[in-house]
Amino acid sequence: MKKAFLQLHTAILLAGVTGVLGRLIHLNEAWLVFYRLLFTVAILWGLYAFSKTKTPLNGRAIRTMLGIGAVVGLHWVSFYGSIKYANVSVALVAFSSLGFFSAILEPFLLRKPLSWIELALGLLAVLGVALIFHFDTRYEKGILFGGVSAFLGALFTVLNKKVMERHDAETVTRWEMTGGLLTVTLILPFYLPLFGLGLEWPSFSDIGWLILLAWCCTVWAFKLSLRALEKISPFTVNLSYNLEPLYGILLAFALFQENREVQGSFYLGSSLILLAIVLQMVKVFAEKKR
């Protein structure tokens, strides 16, 4: 059990590191995601080639996973865009509005009752983001990108719920990452001119960070989560992932001194978001106990 918890929190820490790597890599957000997906897909299909288990799939299942992968690709572009136009801390705080979008999307897409408590907690997180946006307009574009990232992240999670009921995680990840790569490749000719960007090649240092991002923060983190699930309940795993923004922000403060770049409104808004997360955890624990 100790080993499982160590694996779980290593995976969460690696998820938090993705934001830090996004700042270390000097590529713009579109090329960063393209190369990340390129390396990730190469690794995943390489592992699959040597795998003894081959899962047959029909065309409809493949198209569904490729479509969800498109959402993932766009989600990553907007997430790293938020980092490039603001910083890691602001991007992670803006991304915390994901709960609000989830509360709205789940009733419509999964045909479940609307939870007014979850909606209220989501709005509390949005209020925290709005406070930062209102008092610190330097990061206007970064916060907007973060909001789009949160919406797409919530959409991806909701859409993935049904898919995960019918297919194993390795198959879903492999095809979704492939869908993300295809989508980002197709949008590059339109996205780059829109934001005044051009062709970029990764430097040697960028390639090193990209390999680390693809192997450790995507493939390895995914495997660690699966291994932890063998001993720990999905409830505990999902609850623990609320620590990801905290890990990422603390790393950004330690490595880049981003605490010097933000104003008091950042801490006020972050406190409201943290309060929303804590209240959600209390709610889930109370429901679990009942």
Side-chain angles (χ1 to χ4, degrees):
M1 187 63 71
K2 289 181 181 179
K3 183 179 179 181
F5 272 106
L6 179 61
Q7 290 171 333
L8 173 61
H9 283 276
T10 301
I12 297 171
L13 180 61
L14 289 171
V17 168
T18 59
V20 172
L21 292 176
R23 177 159 174 171
L24 290 172
I25 297 170
H26 298 99
L27 299 165
N28 68 65
E29 64 277 7
W31 284 113
L32 189 159
V33 175
F34 171 80
Y35 288 117
R36 176 186 183 177
L37 284 166
L38 183 65
F39 289 141
T40 300
V41 168
I43 292 169
L44 289 171
W45 282 103
L47 293 173
Y48 178 72
F50 291 98
S51 174
K52 295 180 181 179
T53 305
K54 307 296 183 184
T55 306
L57 291 172
N58 58 45
R60 183 178 180 181
I62 292 174
R63 288 192 297 271
T64 299
M65 286 184 273
L66 289 175
I68 297 175
V71 177
V72 177
L74 296 174
H75 156 66
W76 278 353
V77 170
S78 54
F79 175 70
Y80 286 112
S82 182
I83 292 173
K84 299 297 181 179
Y85 292 112
N87 57 40
V88 179
S89 306
V90 170
L92 288 168
V93 166
F95 182 68
S96 299
S97 58
L98 181 143
F100 168 72
F101 293 115
S102 294
I104 294 175
L105 289 171
E106 282 194 33
F108 288 101
L109 297 179
L110 298 181
R111 301 190 182 279
K112 57 176 285 188
L114 176 67
S115 171
W116 293 104
I117 296 178
E118 289 182 2
L119 184 61
L121 293 175
L123 283 170
L124 184 61
V126 170
L127 177 60
V129 175
L131 281 174
I132 300 171
F133 180 84
H134 179 71
F135 290 106
D136 196 347
T137 56
R138 292 176 299 160
Y139 304 121
E140 178 178 344
K141 187 179 286 187
I143 290 174
L144 289 174
F145 267 81
V148 173
S149 174
F151 171 78
L152 293 172
L155 180 61
F156 155 70
T157 303
V158 173
L159 292 175
N160 229 11
K161 282 189 177 181
K162 291 185 177 180
V163 176
M164 291 299 295
E165 292 173 359
R166 298 188 292 270
H167 305 285
D168 63 275
E170 288 92 343
T171 301
V172 171
T173 303
R174 186 170 60 252
W175 282 105
E176 287 184 353
M177 293 299 101
T178 302
L181 177 60
L182 292 173
T183 301
V184 173
T185 303
L186 290 173
I187 70 166
L188 278 175
F190 306 98
Y191 184 91
L192 296 176
L194 183 64
F195 290 93
L197 305 171
L199 176 64
E200 292 187 14
W201 296 100
S203 64
F204 285 111
S205 63
D206 286 339
I207 291 173
W209 294 127
L210 283 164
I211 292 173
L212 183 66
L213 184 62
W215 180 257
C216 295
C217 299
T218 309
V219 178
W220 188 38
F222 167 72
K223 284 195 169 186
L224 285 172
S225 293
L226 287 182
R227 289 173 183 170
L229 272 171
E230 294 175 359
K231 297 287 185 181
I232 302 173
S233 70
F235 162 76
T236 304
V237 172
N238 289 332
L239 200 62
S240 300
Y241 262 93
N242 283 322
L243 294 170
E244 178 190 339
L246 177 61
Y247 287 167
I249 290 171
L250 291 177
L251 283 170
F253 279 9
L255 295 175
F256 307 122
Q257 286 77 52
E258 287 190 0
N259 52 303
R260 299 176 184 176
E261 301 176 18
V262 297
Q263 299 178 359
S265 58
F266 174 86
Y267 297 101
L268 179 60
S270 299
S271 299
L272 289 179
I273 294 167
L274 183 61
L275 175 62
I277 292 173
V278 170
L279 290 175
Q280 172 65 9
M281 293 171 69
V282 171
K283 171 181 172 291
V284 173
F285 270 119
E287 291 175 351
K288 189 76 173 176
K289 199 170 184 180
R290 285 201 298 268

